[in-house]
Amino acid sequence: MIWNHTKECMSREQMRDLQGRRLHKIVEYVYHNVPFYRNKLQQAGITPDDIETIDDIVRLPFTTKQDLRDNYPFGLQAAPMSEIIRIHASSGTTGNPTIVGYTRKDVGVWSECMARCLTAYGISRDDIFSVAYGYGLFTGGLGVHYGVENLGAAVVPASTGNTEKHVRLLRDLGVTGIACTPSYALHLAETMERMGVSRNDIRLRVGAFGAEPWTENMRREIEDKLGLKAYNLYGLSEIMGPCVSYECSEQDDSHICEDHYFPEIVDPETLERRPNGDVGELVFTTLTKTGMPLLRYRTRDLCTLRDDPCPCGRTAVRMGRILGRSDDMLIIRGINVFPSQIESVILSMPECAPHYRLIIDRVDNLDRLTVQVEVRQEFWANGFDTLTPITDLEKTVAARLRSVLSINAVVQIKAPGTLERFEGKAKIIQDNRKLD
Ligand code: DLL
């Protein structure tokens, strides 16, 4: 089934034509409503009238996460606050989070894209669909929720946590679809096993998994343990949230909602546009967003694009799985974390030396972050060699990390001089998760 045949199956020429017209309009809109963009466009010597076709996009300046930070909180917002009906915030920035305001029109487009995606997964009005992404500032929960409602299926706003209760709900309500991170899906499967609930006791048949990298092996494992078909769901808050792209029944890369988000692949070093098939950094321009439209936003996600026809009938460009990042962002339990954020927490504590390691493992299918940090000599000498103060300090650092980054970390305080020093590039991060 296809939710919006006109938009999802239009010819490539029609799509290019539509994108060109929308690009012109959005450039005109930001030129008149966002001083940041007016300045950038003026500096580049571009007026909205210079943008005639979608190919003219290469003339436009890029936007980065740093631009969003520098203009915190609402500097890149184009619509007046009276038009904004929802605000989300992205994790993963040092200091200020990234704030994204949505107009009613934006929330409508978002729900439309989510309905396209859920329909492609085979969800209909007859389904009961559980949303186990976090509800709150994170876009996962509410983003998928509105899509399920738009489609007309019954949504169960389960959110994250309380996994045993969730398993009982899945079983008792006969839930047929679920959205969560792929690692949470595996955690759910394990909880079911512990509770003695088998895949035959539940009726799940479709899963919408994303917000973090995952692999074909994980797909097979989730499908086997939960007895469902597992689909990839990609998105990012700056552009909208879940469902910038989605897999169809072919499960051969993800269709981008290209009439709303125009994709490009660029070389992360030279920023030159790369042809389809090349691995590079994914860049999006929002073609219809009115709250906070972005021109050529650098996602830092590395992947490929292709525009060959898909047997499902959809004509939109497809993106491959995310192969990595062109920055050092880590995704731990679905939360975006920059090592620099952890460093700034450590450096803010007088007892801690600036020597630390970040070790990421996957235990029982959930990510575990261990932060090893050396204590400063003067504090060590002051009695940190006895067990209790070390435990106290570990607890304090863990609490600080939790409150600043919303992540739970195992903190291990180390004696001064015990962590290896590096002569070349420091290997501070040890990511033991197997993602291939
Ligand atoms: O993770 C939005 C989302 C919610 C997507 C629910 C899918 C499902 P952010 O918190 O802003 O937004 O994180 C965005 O997460 O740039 C990717 O690095 C990563 N990511 C998201 N989906 C996938 C995926 C949401 N399917 C960042 N595969 C992105 C790999 C993903 N990485």
Side-chain angles (χ1 to χ4, degrees), residues 90 133 138-140 209-214 232-238 241-242 301 322 325 329 331 336:
S90 165
Y133 285 117
F138 175 57
T139 53
F209 303 118
E212 65 184 12
W214 58 309
N232 195 12
L233 170 63
Y234 168 85
L236 64 161
S237 359
E238 293 86 345
D301 288 325
I322 303 299
R325 303 261 317 163
M329 187 179 90
I331 304 185
N336 305 346

PDB file of all heavy atoms in Angstrom, residues 90 133 138-140 209-214 232-238 241-242 301 322 325 329 331 336, ligand 1:
ATOM      1  N   SER A  90      17.302  18.767  20.656  1.00  0.00           N
ATOM      2  CA  SER A  90      18.160  17.638  20.339  1.00  0.00           C
ATOM      3  C   SER A  90      19.230  17.525  21.407  1.00  0.00           C
ATOM      4  O   SER A  90      19.761  18.522  21.876  1.00  0.00           O
ATOM      5  CB  SER A  90      18.806  17.884  18.979  1.00  0.00           C
ATOM      6  OG  SER A  90      19.877  17.015  18.800  1.00  0.00           O
ATOM      7  N   TYR A 133       9.566   4.815  21.815  1.00  0.00           N
ATOM      8  CA  TYR A 133      10.616   5.852  21.841  1.00  0.00           C
ATOM      9  C   TYR A 133      10.250   6.772  22.989  1.00  0.00           C
ATOM     10  O   TYR A 133       9.078   6.873  23.366  1.00  0.00           O
ATOM     11  CB  TYR A 133      10.619   6.673  20.545  1.00  0.00           C
ATOM     12  CG  TYR A 133      11.199   5.956  19.362  1.00  0.00           C
ATOM     13  CD1 TYR A 133      10.421   5.675  18.246  1.00  0.00           C
ATOM     14  CD2 TYR A 133      12.536   5.573  19.353  1.00  0.00           C
ATOM     15  CE1 TYR A 133      10.955   5.019  17.153  1.00  0.00           C
ATOM     16  CE2 TYR A 133      13.085   4.916  18.267  1.00  0.00           C
ATOM     17  CZ  TYR A 133      12.285   4.641  17.171  1.00  0.00           C
ATOM     18  OH  TYR A 133      12.814   3.994  16.099  1.00  0.00           O
ATOM     19  N   PHE A 138      12.907  14.725  23.103  1.00  0.00           N
ATOM     20  CA  PHE A 138      13.334  13.868  21.990  1.00  0.00           C
ATOM     21  C   PHE A 138      12.172  13.732  21.002  1.00  0.00           C
ATOM     22  O   PHE A 138      11.014  13.592  21.407  1.00  0.00           O
ATOM     23  CB  PHE A 138      13.736  12.506  22.558  1.00  0.00           C
ATOM     24  CG  PHE A 138      14.095  11.475  21.534  1.00  0.00           C
ATOM     25  CD1 PHE A 138      15.103  11.719  20.613  1.00  0.00           C
ATOM     26  CD2 PHE A 138      13.441  10.252  21.492  1.00  0.00           C
ATOM     27  CE1 PHE A 138      15.450  10.765  19.666  1.00  0.00           C
ATOM     28  CE2 PHE A 138      13.780   9.289  20.556  1.00  0.00           C
ATOM     29  CZ  PHE A 138      14.785   9.549  19.643  1.00  0.00           C
ATOM     30  N   THR A 139      12.497  13.745  19.714  1.00  0.00           N
ATOM     31  CA  THR A 139      11.440  13.744  18.695  1.00  0.00           C
ATOM     32  C   THR A 139      10.797  12.379  18.449  1.00  0.00           C
ATOM     33  O   THR A 139       9.752  12.294  17.805  1.00  0.00           O
ATOM     34  CB  THR A 139      12.006  14.241  17.347  1.00  0.00           C
ATOM     35  OG1 THR A 139      13.167  13.441  17.058  1.00  0.00           O
ATOM     36  CG2 THR A 139      12.356  15.700  17.378  1.00  0.00           C
ATOM     37  N   GLY A 140      11.465  11.304  18.924  1.00  0.00           N
ATOM     38  CA  GLY A 140      11.003   9.957  18.587  1.00  0.00           C
ATOM     39  C   GLY A 140       9.571   9.673  19.015  1.00  0.00           C
ATOM     40  O   GLY A 140       8.742   9.236  18.207  1.00  0.00           O
ATOM     41  N   PHE A 209      12.362   0.690  13.515  1.00  0.00           N
ATOM     42  CA  PHE A 209      13.539   0.850  14.362  1.00  0.00           C
ATOM     43  C   PHE A 209      14.511   1.887  13.792  1.00  0.00           C
ATOM     44  O   PHE A 209      14.821   1.887  12.604  1.00  0.00           O
ATOM     45  CB  PHE A 209      14.249  -0.497  14.516  1.00  0.00           C
ATOM     46  CG  PHE A 209      13.347  -1.565  15.073  1.00  0.00           C
ATOM     47  CD1 PHE A 209      13.054  -2.708  14.338  1.00  0.00           C
ATOM     48  CD2 PHE A 209      12.759  -1.406  16.315  1.00  0.00           C
ATOM     49  CE1 PHE A 209      12.210  -3.678  14.836  1.00  0.00           C
ATOM     50  CE2 PHE A 209      11.911  -2.375  16.841  1.00  0.00           C
ATOM     51  CZ  PHE A 209      11.634  -3.517  16.096  1.00  0.00           C
ATOM     52  N   GLY A 210      14.992   2.750  14.670  1.00  0.00           N
ATOM     53  CA  GLY A 210      15.950   3.772  14.236  1.00  0.00           C
ATOM     54  C   GLY A 210      16.413   4.592  15.411  1.00  0.00           C
ATOM     55  O   GLY A 210      16.308   4.165  16.558  1.00  0.00           O
ATOM     56  N   ALA A 211      16.933   5.772  15.142  1.00  0.00           N
ATOM     57  CA  ALA A 211      17.490   6.715  16.118  1.00  0.00           C
ATOM     58  C   ALA A 211      18.913   6.356  16.507  1.00  0.00           C
ATOM     59  O   ALA A 211      19.569   7.105  17.227  1.00  0.00           O
ATOM     60  CB  ALA A 211      16.617   6.868  17.370  1.00  0.00           C
ATOM     61  N   GLU A 212      19.412   5.204  16.041  1.00  0.00           N
ATOM     62  CA  GLU A 212      20.793   4.805  16.302  1.00  0.00           C
ATOM     63  C   GLU A 212      21.213   3.829  15.204  1.00  0.00           C
ATOM     64  O   GLU A 212      20.348   3.203  14.570  1.00  0.00           O
ATOM     65  CB  GLU A 212      20.911   4.143  17.680  1.00  0.00           C
ATOM     66  CG  GLU A 212      20.142   2.833  17.767  1.00  0.00           C
ATOM     67  CD  GLU A 212      20.152   2.198  19.148  1.00  0.00           C
ATOM     68  OE1 GLU A 212      20.556   2.862  20.113  1.00  0.00           O
ATOM     69  OE2 GLU A 212      19.749   1.022  19.248  1.00  0.00           O
ATOM     70  N   PRO A 213      22.511   3.681  14.971  1.00  0.00           N
ATOM     71  CA  PRO A 213      22.947   2.742  13.926  1.00  0.00           C
ATOM     72  C   PRO A 213      22.639   1.299  14.302  1.00  0.00           C
ATOM     73  O   PRO A 213      22.692   0.949  15.470  1.00  0.00           O
ATOM     74  CB  PRO A 213      24.474   2.945  13.878  1.00  0.00           C
ATOM     75  CG  PRO A 213      24.762   4.159  14.666  1.00  0.00           C
ATOM     76  CD  PRO A 213      23.633   4.350  15.630  1.00  0.00           C
ATOM     77  N   TRP A 214      22.290   0.501  13.325  1.00  0.00           N
ATOM     78  CA  TRP A 214      22.105  -0.933  13.553  1.00  0.00           C
ATOM     79  C   TRP A 214      22.468  -1.672  12.279  1.00  0.00           C
ATOM     80  O   TRP A 214      22.755  -1.049  11.258  1.00  0.00           O
ATOM     81  CB  TRP A 214      20.705  -1.261  14.070  1.00  0.00           C
ATOM     82  CG  TRP A 214      19.529  -0.837  13.225  1.00  0.00           C
ATOM     83  CD1 TRP A 214      19.303   0.411  12.711  1.00  0.00           C
ATOM     84  CD2 TRP A 214      18.416  -1.638  12.825  1.00  0.00           C
ATOM     85  NE1 TRP A 214      18.106   0.432  12.040  1.00  0.00           N
ATOM     86  CE2 TRP A 214      17.542  -0.813  12.097  1.00  0.00           C
ATOM     87  CE3 TRP A 214      18.063  -2.965  13.039  1.00  0.00           C
ATOM     88  CZ2 TRP A 214      16.335  -1.282  11.555  1.00  0.00           C
ATOM     89  CZ3 TRP A 214      16.866  -3.425  12.510  1.00  0.00           C
ATOM     90  CH2 TRP A 214      16.020  -2.591  11.774  1.00  0.00           C
ATOM     91  N   ASN A 232      13.798  -0.195   8.866  1.00  0.00           N
ATOM     92  CA  ASN A 232      14.658   0.926   9.267  1.00  0.00           C
ATOM     93  C   ASN A 232      13.895   2.247   9.155  1.00  0.00           C
ATOM     94  O   ASN A 232      13.132   2.457   8.212  1.00  0.00           O
ATOM     95  CB  ASN A 232      15.897   0.954   8.354  1.00  0.00           C
ATOM     96  CG  ASN A 232      16.999   1.822   8.914  1.00  0.00           C
ATOM     97  OD1 ASN A 232      16.964   2.233  10.076  1.00  0.00           O
ATOM     98  ND2 ASN A 232      17.988   2.122   8.092  1.00  0.00           N
ATOM     99  N   LEU A 233      14.131   3.094  10.132  1.00  0.00           N
ATOM    100  CA  LEU A 233      13.483   4.416  10.171  1.00  0.00           C
ATOM    101  C   LEU A 233      14.570   5.431  10.515  1.00  0.00           C
ATOM    102  O   LEU A 233      15.246   5.289  11.530  1.00  0.00           O
ATOM    103  CB  LEU A 233      12.404   4.396  11.264  1.00  0.00           C
ATOM    104  CG  LEU A 233      11.763   5.716  11.661  1.00  0.00           C
ATOM    105  CD1 LEU A 233      11.022   6.325  10.483  1.00  0.00           C
ATOM    106  CD2 LEU A 233      10.774   5.487  12.811  1.00  0.00           C
ATOM    107  N   TYR A 234      14.742   6.431   9.657  1.00  0.00           N
ATOM    108  CA  TYR A 234      15.834   7.394   9.883  1.00  0.00           C
ATOM    109  C   TYR A 234      15.289   8.807  10.002  1.00  0.00           C
ATOM    110  O   TYR A 234      14.286   9.163   9.362  1.00  0.00           O
ATOM    111  CB  TYR A 234      16.824   7.325   8.712  1.00  0.00           C
ATOM    112  CG  TYR A 234      17.832   8.460   8.691  1.00  0.00           C
ATOM    113  CD1 TYR A 234      19.017   8.386   9.434  1.00  0.00           C
ATOM    114  CD2 TYR A 234      17.598   9.623   7.940  1.00  0.00           C
ATOM    115  CE1 TYR A 234      19.928   9.434   9.431  1.00  0.00           C
ATOM    116  CE2 TYR A 234      18.507  10.666   7.935  1.00  0.00           C
ATOM    117  CZ  TYR A 234      19.667  10.568   8.679  1.00  0.00           C
ATOM    118  OH  TYR A 234      20.570  11.605   8.680  1.00  0.00           O
ATOM    119  N   GLY A 235      15.955   9.594  10.803  1.00  0.00           N
ATOM    120  CA  GLY A 235      15.589  11.008  10.879  1.00  0.00           C
ATOM    121  C   GLY A 235      16.487  11.732  11.846  1.00  0.00           C
ATOM    122  O   GLY A 235      17.308  11.120  12.535  1.00  0.00           O
ATOM    123  N   LEU A 236      16.352  13.040  11.885  1.00  0.00           N
ATOM    124  CA  LEU A 236      17.110  13.846  12.851  1.00  0.00           C
ATOM    125  C   LEU A 236      16.290  15.073  13.208  1.00  0.00           C
ATOM    126  O   LEU A 236      15.532  15.591  12.374  1.00  0.00           O
ATOM    127  CB  LEU A 236      18.503  14.225  12.320  1.00  0.00           C
ATOM    128  CG  LEU A 236      18.618  15.105  11.097  1.00  0.00           C
ATOM    129  CD1 LEU A 236      20.011  15.720  11.060  1.00  0.00           C
ATOM    130  CD2 LEU A 236      18.431  14.292   9.826  1.00  0.00           C
ATOM    131  N   SER A 237      16.437  15.504  14.461  1.00  0.00           N
ATOM    132  CA  SER A 237      15.575  16.582  14.959  1.00  0.00           C
ATOM    133  C   SER A 237      15.718  17.875  14.174  1.00  0.00           C
ATOM    134  O   SER A 237      14.725  18.569  13.957  1.00  0.00           O
ATOM    135  CB  SER A 237      15.861  16.887  16.428  1.00  0.00           C
ATOM    136  OG  SER A 237      16.835  16.083  16.954  1.00  0.00           O
ATOM    137  N   GLU A 238      16.932  18.209  13.776  1.00  0.00           N
ATOM    138  CA  GLU A 238      17.125  19.493  13.108  1.00  0.00           C
ATOM    139  C   GLU A 238      16.284  19.586  11.840  1.00  0.00           C
ATOM    140  O   GLU A 238      15.780  20.648  11.483  1.00  0.00           O
ATOM    141  CB  GLU A 238      18.602  19.710  12.746  1.00  0.00           C
ATOM    142  CG  GLU A 238      19.514  19.869  13.947  1.00  0.00           C
ATOM    143  CD  GLU A 238      20.002  18.542  14.504  1.00  0.00           C
ATOM    144  OE1 GLU A 238      19.422  17.486  14.159  1.00  0.00           O
ATOM    145  OE2 GLU A 238      20.958  18.557  15.296  1.00  0.00           O
ATOM    146  N   GLY A 241      12.658  15.051  12.604  1.00  0.00           N
ATOM    147  CA  GLY A 241      12.553  14.006  13.620  1.00  0.00           C
ATOM    148  C   GLY A 241      12.473  12.693  12.870  1.00  0.00           C
ATOM    149  O   GLY A 241      12.966  12.609  11.738  1.00  0.00           O
ATOM    150  N   PRO A 242      11.843  11.652  13.447  1.00  0.00           N
ATOM    151  CA  PRO A 242      11.757  10.390  12.721  1.00  0.00           C
ATOM    152  C   PRO A 242      11.034  10.565  11.394  1.00  0.00           C
ATOM    153  O   PRO A 242      10.126  11.377  11.279  1.00  0.00           O
ATOM    154  CB  PRO A 242      10.950   9.490  13.668  1.00  0.00           C
ATOM    155  CG  PRO A 242      10.283  10.404  14.629  1.00  0.00           C
ATOM    156  CD  PRO A 242      11.171  11.599  14.753  1.00  0.00           C
ATOM    157  N   ASP A 301      26.192  12.516   9.081  1.00  0.00           N
ATOM    158  CA  ASP A 301      25.995  11.085   8.848  1.00  0.00           C
ATOM    159  C   ASP A 301      26.602  10.714   7.497  1.00  0.00           C
ATOM    160  O   ASP A 301      26.408  11.422   6.507  1.00  0.00           O
ATOM    161  CB  ASP A 301      24.496  10.741   8.823  1.00  0.00           C
ATOM    162  CG  ASP A 301      23.875  10.817  10.197  1.00  0.00           C
ATOM    163  OD1 ASP A 301      24.565  10.466  11.178  1.00  0.00           O
ATOM    164  OD2 ASP A 301      22.705  11.225  10.305  1.00  0.00           O
ATOM    165  N   ILE A 322      23.317   4.172   7.552  1.00  0.00           N
ATOM    166  CA  ILE A 322      24.342   5.101   8.025  1.00  0.00           C
ATOM    167  C   ILE A 322      25.607   4.293   8.329  1.00  0.00           C
ATOM    168  O   ILE A 322      25.580   3.347   9.118  1.00  0.00           O
ATOM    169  CB  ILE A 322      23.861   5.856   9.293  1.00  0.00           C
ATOM    170  CG1 ILE A 322      22.549   6.591   9.014  1.00  0.00           C
ATOM    171  CG2 ILE A 322      24.938   6.801   9.804  1.00  0.00           C
ATOM    172  CD1 ILE A 322      22.610   7.636   7.933  1.00  0.00           C
ATOM    173  N   ARG A 325      30.005   8.459  11.112  1.00  0.00           N
ATOM    174  CA  ARG A 325      29.814   9.887  11.283  1.00  0.00           C
ATOM    175  C   ARG A 325      31.084  10.601  10.846  1.00  0.00           C
ATOM    176  O   ARG A 325      32.177  10.061  10.972  1.00  0.00           O
ATOM    177  CB  ARG A 325      29.559  10.233  12.756  1.00  0.00           C
ATOM    178  CG  ARG A 325      28.392   9.540  13.396  1.00  0.00           C
ATOM    179  CD  ARG A 325      27.161  10.376  13.452  1.00  0.00           C
ATOM    180  NE  ARG A 325      27.400  11.751  13.853  1.00  0.00           N
ATOM    181  CZ  ARG A 325      26.498  12.723  13.650  1.00  0.00           C
ATOM    182  NH1 ARG A 325      25.359  12.474  13.054  1.00  0.00           N
ATOM    183  NH2 ARG A 325      26.750  13.949  14.031  1.00  0.00           N
ATOM    184  N   MET A 329      30.576  12.227  17.185  1.00  0.00           N
ATOM    185  CA  MET A 329      29.376  11.994  18.001  1.00  0.00           C
ATOM    186  C   MET A 329      29.152  10.492  18.231  1.00  0.00           C
ATOM    187  O   MET A 329      29.279   9.698  17.322  1.00  0.00           O
ATOM    188  CB  MET A 329      28.138  12.589  17.323  1.00  0.00           C
ATOM    189  CG  MET A 329      26.903  12.541  18.192  1.00  0.00           C
ATOM    190  SD  MET A 329      25.474  13.273  17.369  1.00  0.00           S
ATOM    191  CE  MET A 329      24.785  11.839  16.543  1.00  0.00           C
ATOM    192  N   ILE A 331      26.376   7.590  19.729  1.00  0.00           N
ATOM    193  CA  ILE A 331      24.961   7.439  20.090  1.00  0.00           C
ATOM    194  C   ILE A 331      24.894   6.319  21.116  1.00  0.00           C
ATOM    195  O   ILE A 331      25.209   5.173  20.811  1.00  0.00           O
ATOM    196  CB  ILE A 331      24.089   7.157  18.858  1.00  0.00           C
ATOM    197  CG1 ILE A 331      24.286   8.269  17.820  1.00  0.00           C
ATOM    198  CG2 ILE A 331      22.628   7.050  19.252  1.00  0.00           C
ATOM    199  CD1 ILE A 331      23.404   8.176  16.612  1.00  0.00           C
ATOM    200  N   ASN A 336      22.374  11.172  21.748  1.00  0.00           N
ATOM    201  CA  ASN A 336      23.570  11.661  21.068  1.00  0.00           C
ATOM    202  C   ASN A 336      24.516  12.280  22.092  1.00  0.00           C
ATOM    203  O   ASN A 336      24.124  13.160  22.850  1.00  0.00           O
ATOM    204  CB  ASN A 336      23.210  12.731  20.038  1.00  0.00           C
ATOM    205  CG  ASN A 336      22.171  12.224  19.056  1.00  0.00           C
ATOM    206  OD1 ASN A 336      21.923  11.033  18.991  1.00  0.00           O
ATOM    207  ND2 ASN A 336      21.570  13.126  18.316  1.00  0.00           N
TER     208      ASN A 336
HETATM  209  O1  DLL B   1      17.105  10.144  16.453  1.00  0.00           O
HETATM  210  C1  DLL B   1      15.143  11.014  15.333  1.00  0.00           C
HETATM  211  C2  DLL B   1      14.599   9.637  15.230  1.00  0.00           C
HETATM  212  C3  DLL B   1      13.727   9.183  16.195  1.00  0.00           C
HETATM  213  C4  DLL B   1      14.923   8.838  14.159  1.00  0.00           C
HETATM  214  C5  DLL B   1      13.192   7.912  16.089  1.00  0.00           C
HETATM  215  C6  DLL B   1      14.372   7.559  14.033  1.00  0.00           C
HETATM  216  C7  DLL B   1      13.519   7.122  15.002  1.00  0.00           C
HETATM  217  P1  DLL B   1      18.251  12.899  16.847  1.00  0.00           P
HETATM  218  O2  DLL B   1      18.155  12.574  18.298  1.00  0.00           O
HETATM  219  O3  DLL B   1      18.401  14.313  16.431  1.00  0.00           O
HETATM  220  O4  DLL B   1      16.960  12.405  16.090  1.00  0.00           O
HETATM  221  O5  DLL B   1      19.455  12.034  16.279  1.00  0.00           O
HETATM  222  C8  DLL B   1      19.744  12.048  14.907  1.00  0.00           C
HETATM  223  O6  DLL B   1      20.622   9.767  15.021  1.00  0.00           O
HETATM  224  O7  DLL B   1      21.906  12.118  12.630  1.00  0.00           O
HETATM  225  C9  DLL B   1      21.887   9.678  13.025  1.00  0.00           C
HETATM  226  O8  DLL B   1      23.255   9.833  13.384  1.00  0.00           O
HETATM  227  C10 DLL B   1      21.185   8.846  14.085  1.00  0.00           C
HETATM  228  N1  DLL B   1      20.114   8.039  13.492  1.00  0.00           N
HETATM  229  C11 DLL B   1      18.791   8.310  13.456  1.00  0.00           C
HETATM  230  N2  DLL B   1      18.128   7.302  12.827  1.00  0.00           N
HETATM  231  C12 DLL B   1      19.064   6.383  12.446  1.00  0.00           C
HETATM  232  C13 DLL B   1      19.033   5.133  11.742  1.00  0.00           C
HETATM  233  C14 DLL B   1      16.494  11.095  16.024  1.00  0.00           C
HETATM  234  N3  DLL B   1      17.905   4.590  11.316  1.00  0.00           N
HETATM  235  C15 DLL B   1      20.910  11.117  14.585  1.00  0.00           C
HETATM  236  N4  DLL B   1      20.217   4.513  11.520  1.00  0.00           N
HETATM  237  C16 DLL B   1      21.167  11.015  13.123  1.00  0.00           C
HETATM  238  C17 DLL B   1      21.376   5.036  11.941  1.00  0.00           C
HETATM  239  C18 DLL B   1      20.335   6.866  12.868  1.00  0.00           C
HETATM  240  N5  DLL B   1      21.478   6.187  12.614  1.00  0.00           N
END
